[in-house]
Amino acid sequence: TSSPILLEAVGVEKRYDKFAALAGVDLKVRAHTVHSVIGPNGAGKTTLFHMLTGTKNVSGGRIVFDGHDVTHEPDHRRVQRGMARSFQVTSLFLTLPVRENLRLAAQGTAPRHALNCWHAPLGTRSQADVVASVLARLGLERHADTPVGNLSHGQQRRLEVGMALAARPKAIFLDEPTSGMGIDDLDDMKRLIQGLKDEHTVVLIEHNMNIVMDISDTVTVMQQGRVLAEGHPHAIRSDDRVRSAYLGNM
Ligand code: ATP
């Protein structure tokens, strides 16, 4: 694809004492694509997410988002610029209905979504519009009034994505949205993520290789804090260095 570059990392480093969790990572994420980051445990995927979204400071390098150098901007400023992150740990209000969870996220007052809560405030009317459109995306309209605790695991995981969507981001960062899911839920999550490309850009950490290969436009493979390979899923799948990094597990 040749859509414009929305997010770029240039030589991003993260050191913990002498250990380099990221040893100079370059990344270009094009708008309206699904860009996956894969790699063995400890490769630096989550650390890269921390750098891109501003939850931790870089030790070196530069991050440009939507034409702005955001390298030294705090996370909430980056949220205002249009980044939202969905967290691996569950962050939903289980006793409140689905709609109310999304309303709190759209309003920017869901405390456990503090990171995503700095987007421009919405009027009541447009809040309702955002909630309705997110409900439709999630396929949870029928469950709008259901307490979140009564949803299936897969529905709850989709709602976590929806909480980030309620901040109306340009780019949404998903860290293992499918972990621990059964087949049916996987298909729903895949469809949800692919459907986001019309309005958003998706940066995805994902361990399930079938999903990565199915839904990604671009795959970046990390190993030991560096980019080992980057390209179209087909090219990545047949890349010898990638195959040996995964010991043939693709
Ligand atoms: P996984 O797939 O297991 O989640 P990952 O690719 O996300 O792995 P990271 O969590 O980014 O990997 O970790 C990269 C490396 O940095 C690991 O070796 C980890 O032990 C190290 N690391 C992460 N955070 C710290 C820290 N606060 N202090 C020291 N080392 C750290």
Side-chain angles (χ1 to χ4, degrees):
T1 51
S2 54
S3 50
I5 291 162
L6 178 64
L7 172 67
E8 183 170 9
V10 186
V12 168
E13 297 174 20
K14 181 61 173 179
R15 285 184 295 275
Y16 294 106
D17 292 322
K18 286 188 180 150
F19 175 74
L22 295 179
V25 168
D26 295 331
L27 188 78
K28 285 191 172 91
V29 178
R30 293 189 178 276
H32 302 287
T33 63
V34 174
H35 191 126
S36 296
V37 180
I38 67 171
N41 289 336
K45 305 178 294 294
T46 303
T47 304
L48 180 62
F49 261 36
H50 288 320
M51 305 293 105
L52 296 174
T53 58
T55 32
K56 289 184 182 169
N57 296 322
V58 300
S59 309
R62 219 154 45 85
I63 295 161
V64 179
F65 180 69
D66 203 18
H68 301 275
D69 187 327
V70 299
T71 315
H72 301 291
E73 286 185 353
D75 49 7
H76 59 84
R77 183 78 189 106
R78 296 188 211 192
V79 171
Q80 288 168 344
R81 292 204 187 277
M83 293 188 186
R85 187 164 170 189
S86 172
F87 288 89
Q88 227 169 325
V89 282
T90 187
S91 51
L92 304 168
F93 302 97
L94 297 177
T95 56
L96 294 179
V98 171
R99 189 196 308 282
E100 188 61 12
N101 273 264
L102 289 172
R103 202 186 60 75
L104 290 169
Q107 181 179 287
T109 52
R112 274 174 285 184
H113 275 268
L115 182 58
N116 290 338
C117 287
W118 296 86
H119 56 81
L122 289 170
T124 314
R125 175 63 191 276
S126 52
Q127 254 175 47
D129 289 347
V130 168
V131 169
S133 82
V134 174
L135 277 171
R137 271 209 186 274
L138 302 178
L140 291 178
E141 296 110 316
R142 283 187 305 121
H143 299 281
D145 299 310
T146 305
V148 169
N150 295 354
L151 296 179
S152 71
H153 176 69
Q155 290 168 333
Q156 290 185 0
R157 300 303 303 273
R158 297 212 299 287
L159 183 55
E160 286 172 9
V161 175
M163 296 293 276
L165 287 177
R168 295 159 297 133
K170 294 187 175 106
I172 179 164
F173 293 77
L174 306 176
D175 192 343
E176 295 189 49
T178 68
S179 60
M181 272 192 181
I183 294 275
D184 291 346
D185 289 337
L186 281 180
D187 281 344
D188 288 341
M189 183 60 86
K190 260 165 66 174
R191 262 195 299 277
L192 170 60
I193 293 173
Q194 278 195 300
L196 297 178
K197 286 200 288 183
D198 58 350
E199 289 183 30
H200 309 272
T201 300
V202 182
V203 190
L204 175 69
I205 295 177
E206 178 58 60
H207 277 113
N208 183 319
M209 215 45 69
N210 290 326
I211 292 191
V212 168
M213 294 302 161
D214 273 6
I215 70 174
S216 308
D217 297 285
T218 308
V219 180
T220 295
V221 187
M222 294 185 64
Q223 188 185 30
Q224 296 182 357
R226 296 175 191 278
V227 174
L228 178 69
E230 180 171 298
H232 191 272
H234 292 136
I236 291 299
R237 200 195 270 279
S238 56
D239 186 307
D240 287 339
R241 291 166 308 160
V242 176
R243 296 180 83 94
S244 62
Y246 277 91
L247 301 166
N249 287 336
M250 305 177 62

